[in-house]
Amino acid sequence: ELLQRITKEYTQNNYLWTGNIDTSSFRPDCRFTDPTLSFVGVDKFVSNVGSLVPIVEFLLGSKQSCQSKLLSIGNDAEGGYIETRWNMVGELDRLPWKPRIDVIGRTKFWYSGEENQVEEVCDGDSRPVQVYFYDEMWEIPAGLALLQLVTPAGTIANSNCASGDDVIA
């Protein structure tokens, strides 16, 4: 079930751009990290995204041309994480130099317990397995990814890997 919910974050919610996550997939004290920052708490994630979404929507312009492409997803039950490989692509049409954000990355969603099992909470209620650590990595250095904001589209490669990745619909 957690694997299906995480798949939907990309294929339906476009969460890398919208920040729209199923908060029930995450423990309230989940740690979120990416190459530029780290913080604790789903409420903090929602707050951070709430501040950024209006800016992102403005920069995307009227086309709102952006995608969170899911390239692969797998569950390492022994390791206790679900790993995704994705491509975040968007055209910032409001800026005169028309930059294109195009970053390939990987995220490990570390969860407690076994997939599809139910944990007992102290008060006797039960809940599905939840993510306690969100660990995002990019295939290019953070500085190069951020430089995409100030350079014309196509100037900086999105990955150090070969292209031609398939997308999960």
Side-chain angles (χ1 to χ4, degrees):
E1 180 188 359
L2 183 60
L3 184 102
Q4 293 168 345
R5 286 186 283 155
I6 289 172
T7 297
K8 288 179 183 176
E9 304 293 20
Y10 297 90
T11 61
Q12 293 178 12
N13 296 346
N14 195 20
Y15 96 97
L16 293 172
W17 287 98
T18 66
N20 182 12
I21 62 168
D22 177 354
T23 57
S24 70
S25 296
F26 299 86
R27 288 179 37 171
D29 62 347
C30 180
R31 173 173 293 282
F32 293 84
T33 66
D34 74 22
T36 63
L37 56 87
S38 180
F39 58 88
V40 174
V42 172
D43 290 343
K44 185 72 169 172
F45 177 89
V46 170
S47 172
N48 288 350
V49 168
S51 300
L52 290 175
V53 166
I55 296 165
V56 170
E57 287 177 350
F58 173 79
L59 292 175
L60 288 168
S62 60
K63 286 193 228 173
Q64 296 291 299
S65 178
C66 61
Q67 289 183 296
S68 302
K69 297 178 184 177
L70 182 58
L71 304 176
S72 65
I73 186 166
N75 181 16
D76 183 334
E78 187 174 308
Y81 62 86
I82 292 170
E83 183 172 22
T84 61
R85 185 166 184 259
W86 45 264
N87 188 192
M88 178 181 188
V89 182
E91 318 259 340
L92 304 184
D93 289 337
R94 287 280 175 106
L95 298 174
W97 56 93
K98 306 290 187 208
R100 176 181 170 94
I101 303 303
D102 188 354
V103 175
I104 293 177
R106 296 175 187 270
T107 303
K108 285 186 179 179
F109 298 84
W110 294 87
Y111 58 85
S112 57
E114 294 182 32
E115 185 67 19
N116 295 324
Q117 297 296 313
V118 175
E119 294 181 43
E120 287 298 318
V121 184
C122 296
D123 60 10
D125 291 336
S126 60
R127 67 173 184 223
V129 171
Q130 292 178 304
V131 175
Y132 67 87
F133 181 38
Y134 172 102
D135 187 19
E136 179 178 306
M137 300 155 279
W138 301 342
E139 293 185 4
I140 60 173
L144 284 179
L146 295 173
L147 274 175
Q148 290 181 351
L149 293 168
V150 295
T151 57
T155 305
I156 298 171
N158 65 359
S159 171
N160 294 325
C161 300
S163 62
D165 293 306
D166 294 328
V167 176
I168 296 173

